[in-house]
Amino acid sequence: MVTGPDGLPQQLLPSEKCSPDTKSPRIFPPEISSSGRAPHRSQVKQVRPNRLSHILVFTADVDSSVQFYSEVLGLRLSDRSGSIIAFMHSQHGSDHHLIAMASSPGCGLHHSSWDVTSFDDVGLGTQQMSQAGYPEGWGVGRHVLGSNYFRYVRDPWGSYSEYSFDIDHIAADLEWPAGDYPPEDALYVWGSPPPDDFTKNYEIGSELQLSKAVAPSETPTIK
């Protein structure tokens, strides 16, 4: 057990590698049907994620967090937007990020992201969660950093679970060109605008304004 940024306990346990060695396949099922390619509504099965892709946590110091996860845990920087948000991957090969850190006065969980098999699964998962009583969230849309298609489903505590499809993969032998992007290029390419409180840290009641940074002239602030 070690203490990470913000005093958050970090438990290290030996295990087999569980991050993918190759990019998840792009699947758009079904491609062949006697009555069109879309599945019949009566034949739709429950969407079940394949694996946990990543988490995004809040931290009081993004730069110190990047240093901690790099020097102590051996992760590598994928991309960032100044000291507002940073994404890190495994040196042994993984999705674009296993963990992301967003600036906030204190720690907290923003979302957990779950890999699904197809773009259809993102939409079907949205419908599935809405029917289960969880219609609020954000998406469907597509991210810039990571490139994945997404749907965020709000949980009862103000954080999110994300359906994610087609995220970038960084192989162990790939020299990834980590970039530092302006806020308007760090969140999404297309989709409806995120909820006003999308980046609010409900564990301490503070909001990061990255979700509203959709124009170069806007400067993210914390309130």
Side-chain angles (χ1 to χ4, degrees):
M1 185 78 70
V2 297
T3 300
D6 301 316
L8 189 67
Q10 308 278 329
Q11 185 177 27
L12 306 180
L13 297 173
S15 69
E16 297 293 327
K17 184 178 184 296
C18 58
S19 58
D21 292 319
T22 59
K23 181 175 173 55
S24 299
R26 298 181 178 94
I27 298 177
F28 295 86
E31 290 300 326
I32 299 176
S33 170
S34 59
S35 57
R37 293 186 299 160
H40 292 178
R41 190 178 180 88
S42 61
Q43 298 174 349
V44 169
K45 297 180 180 180
Q46 186 178 37
V47 175
R48 295 186 179 276
N50 301 315
R51 56 182 172 82
L52 176 65
S53 174
H54 62 266
I55 61 172
L56 190 152
V57 296
F58 292 106
T59 177
D61 192 329
V62 170
D63 295 328
S64 294
S65 293
V66 169
Q67 183 178 11
F68 171 83
Y69 288 108
S70 175
E71 296 180 358
V72 178
L73 300 184
L75 300 185
R76 294 176 177 172
L77 182 67
S78 303
D79 293 298
R80 69 186 304 159
S81 180
S83 296
I84 301 172
I85 192 168
F87 305 84
M88 303 191 76
H89 65 276
S90 166
Q91 61 179 296
H92 305 294
S94 72
D95 289 340
H96 175 269
H97 48 285
L98 296 180
I99 187 169
M101 294 81 64
S103 178
S104 175
C107 61
L109 174 68
H110 180 268
H111 75 264
S112 57
S113 178
W114 302 87
D115 177 81
V116 294
T117 301
S118 69
F119 186 73
D120 254 5
D121 281 353
V122 177
L124 291 172
T126 301
Q127 175 177 269
Q128 176 179 296
M129 293 303 292
S130 181
Q131 292 173 340
Y134 300 95
E136 296 185 6
W138 180 38
V140 173
R142 190 180 189 187
H143 281 305
V144 180
L145 305 182
S147 303
N148 50 310
Y149 301 91
F150 64 82
R151 165 65 182 181
Y152 289 87
V153 179
R154 189 191 295 272
D155 65 26
W157 305 278
S159 52
Y160 296 88
S161 292
E162 178 190 21
Y163 287 96
S164 172
F165 167 62
D166 201 26
I167 194 169
D168 289 331
H169 183 268
I170 303 178
D173 58 353
L174 178 64
E175 291 293 330
W176 182 264
D180 189 350
Y181 298 89
E184 65 271 17
D185 286 337
L187 192 54
Y188 68 117
V189 185
W190 59 261
S192 60
D196 289 340
D197 63 345
F198 180 69
T199 52
K200 183 173 182 177
N201 184 352
Y202 274 96
E203 296 187 40
I204 63 171
S206 177
E207 185 174 354
L208 172 69
Q209 296 299 297
L210 178 62
S211 64
K212 299 178 183 178
V214 294
S217 59
E218 294 178 337
T219 302
T221 58
I222 297 174
K223 67 178 182 180

